[in-house]
Amino acid sequence: MEALPRVCVPEGVGPGALELAGAQARHLSGSRRLRKGDEFLAFAGDGVEYRARIEDVSRERVRAAVGDVTRRESRPARSVEVWCANVRANRMEWAIEKCVEAGVDVFRPITTEHSVRGQELSESRRERWERIAIEAAEQCGRLYLPVIAPVVAFREVLADRDGALVVANRGGTPWSEVAEQIPEQGAITIAIGPEGGFTEDEVEQAIEVGAIVASLGKNTLRTETAAVVTVALARA
């Protein structure tokens, strides 16, 4: 049986009437071709998912009745945040999508000495990244929405964090050994550098605030690939 479509309703969802418009309605009525009487799953990103049945549908509006809870989950004991050095727009979008699928809780673009600097988020770009994150959450089945944090300089954000910090960098400790030093509960932040890597000064500054420097193996990974790999490793 084909899985039911999932729709995120960030403003909140619960038993009773639900009305969807715009992109959400077009997704259900157009892309998924749902009709009156068909069912879908609705969640707000707060750990609860509901079954909903369509009562009326058009291309721009869907009216549904939300019923029973289908799943309810607590947040994982480990919170995973990734800092990803700025890359080209299409590669950053790919990184966000795949990191959400892998289980990231917070995705924060960073600027470094070797990466693009002064690239502030425009409102439209931020909205697009958040939409990508929501769509990835809908697709992969997760019940909590990730946070897309504003761009910040690596050096500035080092001291403003919680829990363990892991910096991915060539020459670091093998991940198998790093994993033994990471607490199973609490927050972990993983920093991924740009194509040229972090500078020696950046790595030293990170170590000064307690960071663990980790190697991801002998192969050179693209920034966006490394971000997804580390999130998956942290979740595993």
Side-chain angles (χ1 to χ4, degrees):
M1 179 181 295
E2 185 178 0
L4 293 178
R6 301 180 77 239
V7 173
C8 180
V9 188
E11 56 269 25
V13 62
L18 173 66
E19 190 167 298
L20 303 173
Q24 293 174 320
R26 290 192 294 273
H27 172 67
L28 293 177
S29 64
S31 301
R32 300 307 298 261
R33 299 183 180 180
L34 298 192
R35 296 295 179 261
K36 182 177 180 179
D38 289 340
E39 294 183 330
F40 63 95
L41 302 174
F43 70 107
D46 58 357
V48 185
E49 180 185 78
Y50 298 86
R51 184 182 298 271
R53 183 183 297 273
I54 294 179
E55 295 184 334
D56 188 46
V57 58
S58 67
R59 178 169 173 77
E60 295 296 330
R61 193 165 302 276
V62 170
R63 184 165 53 84
V66 179
D68 296 336
V69 172
T70 57
R71 284 193 298 155
R72 187 190 303 270
E73 294 179 2
S74 300
R75 285 191 178 276
R78 172 181 289 172
S79 171
V80 180
E81 178 170 346
V82 66
W83 298 346
C84 182
N86 269 342
V87 292
R88 291 196 302 270
N90 63 326
R91 290 165 58 186
M92 185 64 83
E93 291 176 1
W94 184 91
I96 291 171
E97 179 183 74
K98 301 309 175 186
C99 281
V100 171
E101 293 177 16
V104 77
D105 294 297
V106 180
F107 186 99
R108 181 186 294 278
I110 58 171
T111 58
T112 70
E113 291 301 316
H114 289 163
S115 68
V116 179
R117 281 174 276 179
Q119 188 175 350
E120 299 298 330
L121 276 176
S122 67
E123 194 61 30
S124 61
R125 191 177 181 201
R126 180 75 171 278
E127 289 176 358
R128 176 167 174 77
W129 285 358
E130 290 177 343
R131 184 65 238 170
I132 288 171
I134 289 174
E135 291 175 354
E138 291 173 337
Q139 183 275 324
C140 72
R142 61 184 288 171
L143 295 181
Y144 288 94
L145 292 181
V147 173
I148 306 300
V151 176
V152 70
F154 176 66
R155 293 179 185 273
E156 294 176 2
V157 77
L158 276 176
D160 185 22
R161 61 175 177 80
D162 296 321
L165 173 62
V166 177
V167 175
N169 202 61
R170 185 180 296 276
T173 303
W175 184 271
S176 58
E177 298 178 26
V178 171
E180 298 176 357
Q181 304 177 52
I182 301 173
E184 294 184 4
Q185 299 185 359
I188 172 176
T189 299
I190 306 167
I192 308 298
E195 183 177 342
F198 290 109
T199 65
E200 291 185 8
D201 286 345
E202 287 173 327
V203 174
E204 290 177 3
Q205 187 174 359
I207 293 174
E208 288 177 0
V209 299
I212 304 170
V213 182
S215 168
L216 301 181
K218 64 180 182 180
N219 293 344
T220 300
L221 304 181
R222 289 185 179 274
T223 297
E224 64 272 25
T225 306
V228 178
V229 167
T230 55
V231 172
L233 287 171
R235 279 288 175 230

